[in-house]
C-alpha cells in the first residue's frame, strides 16, 4: 500500500502561505514557510516488515501508524502540524538537524530556543500477564529503565563500538527516565495483537506527562510497537512483549539487552526508522543519518553500503540485534527535543 501524501503536503503548504494573517507574529510565519514537500505518513510497512532470522518482527510501529491513519481521519492534519512545527524549530539553527560540520563531526548545539536542560520522563509500566513468566519482576523492569537512561544519555558501555565514520555524531539526547509506577493485571487473554486492545482494557496514566509502557504478549513474533506524537491520548505510549523488555529475568536473545524499548521510545519521541520506511529516496527527516533502501538485520558487517553511502546499522532506529545497536545521532537528538519545545506535542513533560 503506497500512499505518500505529497499532494496533501503541497496543498497544506499553499493554504498556510495564502491564509497567513500579516498581523501574526514571525514565529507563525516561519512555520507556514517551512518546506514540507517531502513529508509522508503512510508507508509500505507491510512490504518492508520482513522478519529477522529468528522469525521475529522487530517493530510494528509503522503498520500501527497506517492503521491509526485509516481509523482517525483527523490524524493526518495533526501529524502534519507536528512535523511542520518540528521543521520550523530546527530551521532556526543552521546545524539543528545534525549536519556534519567542517571538522567532519556533528554539531553538539541544540536547536535555537532549546533551553530545556535535561528532560526527565516519568514512566508507568503496565504488566499484563496470563502466566507467572509474563508477570515480569521489578528487577527486570528496573533493568529496562537503566538501559533507557544509558542509551538516551550516550552512557552505554558499547557506545565506543561506533566506527570512526560516525563517532562524531553520537549524541547525548539529554533525556532521562524515572520509573513512576508499576501496575500489574492478571488477564486470561494469551495474545493481545496490535489493535491497542491492551490499552482499552487498561487505560494509560496521565498520557500528557507520562510515558506509558504496556508489557504483554503481543503475539505473531512481534517485539513491540509505539504511537507517534499526535495520535489519540487514549492509546498513547509503547507496547512491548515481556521477553524483549529489560536485560534480566524473562528475556530472549538476541533481543535481551533492552534495545526494543530504546527503539520504540525513539518512535514515541518522533523518530522514524533509519531507512525512512521506503527506498533510497525516502527520508527519515534527519540530515546526518545516511539514506538506505531498507532495514538491516542481525549484526551486519562494517561497512554495509546501500544508496551509495555507508548504512548507520548501529543506530537504535535500525532493525539489528540488540548487541549491535548503540547510538542516536545529533540530528536525531535535535528532532526528539523539538517535541518538548513550544508548540510541540509533548510539552506536558516540561510544563
Amino acid at each position: 500500500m503506497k500512499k505518500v501524501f505529497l499532494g496533501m503536503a503541497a496543498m497544506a503548504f499553499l493554504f498556510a502561505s495564502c491564509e497567513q494573517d500579516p498581523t501574526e507574529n514571525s514565529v507563525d510565519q516561519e512555520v507556514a514557510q517551512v518546506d514540507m514537500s517531502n513529508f509522508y505518513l503512510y508507508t509500505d510497512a507491510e512490504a518492508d516488515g520482513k522478519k529477522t532470522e529468528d522469525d521475529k518482527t522487530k517493530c510494528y510501529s509503522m503498520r500501527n501508524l497506517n492503521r491509526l491513519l485509516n481509523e482517525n481521519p483527523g490524524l493526518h492534519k495533526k501529524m502534519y502540524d507536528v512535523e511542520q512545527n518540528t521543521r520550523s524549530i530546527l530551521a532556526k539553527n543552521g546545524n539543528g538537524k545534525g549536519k556534519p560540520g567542517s571538522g567532519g563531526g556533528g554539531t553538539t548545539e541544540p536547536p535555537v530556543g532549546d533551553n530545556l536542560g535535561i528532560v526527565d520522563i516519568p514512566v508507568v509500566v503496565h504488566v499484563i500477564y496470563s502466566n507467572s513468566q509474563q508477570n515480569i519482576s521489578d528487577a527486570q523492569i528496573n533493568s529496562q529503565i537503566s538501559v533507557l537512561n544509558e542509551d538516551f544519555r550516550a552512557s552505554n558501555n558499547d557506545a565506543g563500538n561506533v566506527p570512526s565514520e560516525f563517532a562524531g555524531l553520537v549524541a547525548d539526547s539529554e533525556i532521562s527516565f524515572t520509573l513512576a509506577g508499576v501496575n500489574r493485571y492478571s488477564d486470561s487473554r494469551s495474545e493481545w495483537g496490535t489493535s491497542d486492545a491492551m490499552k482499552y482494557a487498561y487505560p494509560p496514566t496521565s498520557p500528557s506527562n507520562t510515558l506509558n509502557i504496556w508489557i504483554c504478549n503481543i503475539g505473531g513474533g512481534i517485539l513491540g510497537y509505539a504511537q507517534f506524537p499526535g495520535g489519540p491520548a487514549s492509546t498513547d505510549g509503547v507496547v512491548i512483549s515481556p521477553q524483549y523488555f529489560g536485560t534480566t529475568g524473562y528475556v530472549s536473545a538476541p533481543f535481551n539487552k533492552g534495545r526494543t524499548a530504546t527503539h520504540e521510545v525513539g518512535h514515541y519521541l518522533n523518530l522514524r526508522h533509519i531507512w525512512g520506511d521506503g527506498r533510497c529516496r525516502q527520508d527519515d527527516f534527519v540530515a546526518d543519518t545516511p539514506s538506505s533502501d531498507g532495514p538491516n538485520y542481525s549484526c551486519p558487517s562494517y561497512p554495509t553500503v546501500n544508496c551509495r553511502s555507508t548504512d548507520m546499522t548501529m543506530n537504535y532506529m535500525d532493525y539489528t540485534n540488540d548487541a549491535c545497536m548503540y547510538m542516536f545521532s545529533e540530528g536525531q537528538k535535535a528532532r526528539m527535543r523539538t517535541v518538548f519545545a513550544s508548540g510541540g506535542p509533548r510539552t506536558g513533560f516540561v510544563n
Side-chain angles (χ1 to χ4, degrees):
M1 176 177 62
K2 187 71 170 179
K3 300 180 181 177
V4 180
F5 274 73
L6 296 181
M8 174 188 168
M11 286 189 292
F13 171 76
L14 290 172
F15 177 83
S17 300
C18 294
E19 294 297 320
Q20 182 69 38
D21 184 343
T23 64
E24 292 179 357
N25 61 43
S26 59
V27 174
D28 291 335
Q29 292 173 1
E30 288 172 359
V31 170
Q33 294 170 6
V34 169
D35 179 13
M36 296 287 290
S37 60
N38 72 335
F39 179 61
Y40 66 92
L41 285 176
Y42 282 100
T43 71
D44 284 336
E46 283 77 9
D48 288 338
K50 297 180 293 184
K51 293 188 176 183
T52 66
E53 293 177 357
D54 296 79
D55 196 37
K56 302 291 188 297
T57 300
K58 180 73 175 176
C59 170
Y60 209 85
S61 293
M62 299 314 295
R63 277 178 276 186
N64 183 60
L65 175 58
N66 286 352
R67 176 184 65 82
L68 288 175
L69 288 166
N70 288 334
E71 294 176 357
N72 301 275
L75 182 56
H76 305 83
K77 181 63 165 60
K78 287 183 180 178
M79 293 189 68
Y80 182 93
D81 291 344
V82 168
E83 184 64 25
Q84 192 174 44
N85 186 67
T86 292
R87 296 186 185 197
S88 177
I89 294 171
L90 294 174
K92 295 174 186 177
N93 184 334
N95 280 337
K97 290 186 178 180
K99 294 179 181 178
S102 58
T107 177
T108 57
E109 298 178 4
V112 170
D114 184 354
N115 57 355
L116 301 172
I118 307 300
V119 177
D120 186 67
I121 296 180
V123 181
V124 170
V125 177
H126 308 272
V127 180
I128 310 170
Y129 60 95
S130 61
N131 58 53
S132 59
Q133 196 173 42
Q134 294 173 2
N135 188 18
I136 61 174
S137 67
D138 288 344
Q140 183 170 343
I141 294 169
N142 287 325
S143 74
Q144 181 62 75
I145 301 300
S146 295
V147 170
L148 288 173
N149 280 305
E150 291 167 1
D151 290 352
F152 278 82
R153 295 303 312 275
S155 62
N156 48 303
N157 292 332
D158 47 5
N161 295 337
V162 176
S164 59
E165 178 179 4
F166 301 124
L169 295 175
V170 176
D172 170 2
S173 71
E174 297 182 277
I175 298 170
S176 63
F177 302 84
T178 300
L179 183 63
V182 177
N183 299 318
R184 297 180 181 276
Y185 307 101
S186 176
D187 196 295
S188 60
R189 189 178 308 197
S190 59
E191 292 187 1
W192 287 88
T194 56
S195 296
D196 291 336
M198 72 292 293
K199 303 175 185 180
Y200 296 122
Y202 306 103
T205 299
S206 304
S208 65
N209 56 19
T210 304
L211 166 59
N212 286 262
I213 302 179
W214 288 265
I215 306 303
C216 61
N217 184 38
I218 301 172
I222 297 169
L223 276 65
Y225 70 95
Q227 181 170 296
F228 285 92
S234 60
T235 55
D236 200 14
V238 169
V239 183
I240 299 174
S241 289
Q243 64 269 45
Y244 311 119
F245 189 76
T247 62
T248 188
Y250 178 44
V251 291
S252 178
F255 308 113
N256 58 343
K257 295 185 178 297
R259 266 58 193 269
T260 295
T262 301
H263 178 104
E264 300 303 344
V265 173
H267 285 315
Y268 174 82
L269 297 177
N270 209 27
L271 293 185
R272 302 296 181 100
H273 287 135
I274 195 82
W275 67 96
D277 294 282
R279 298 305 177 215
C280 294
R281 294 183 181 180
Q282 193 92 315
D283 194 18
D284 67 346
F285 308 144
V286 178
D288 64 3
T289 55
S291 297
S292 188
D293 66 347
N296 289 285
Y297 294 92
S298 299
C299 286
S301 59
Y302 174 83
T304 295
V305 177
N306 287 290
C307 306
R308 301 182 180 181
S309 61
T310 303
D311 284 2
M312 194 182 282
T313 62
M314 68 294 308
N315 194 283
Y316 295 124
M317 302 313 293
D318 207 335
Y319 271 8
T320 55
N321 291 350
D322 280 16
C324 299
M325 51 170 61
Y326 22 79
M327 71 169 286
F328 287 118
S329 74
E330 287 290 343
Q332 289 173 318
K333 169 186 177 177
R335 182 174 174 83
M336 284 190 285
R337 290 183 68 80
T338 65
V339 302
F340 306 113
S342 178
R346 300 210 184 279
T347 56
F349 289 100
V350 296
N351 292 335

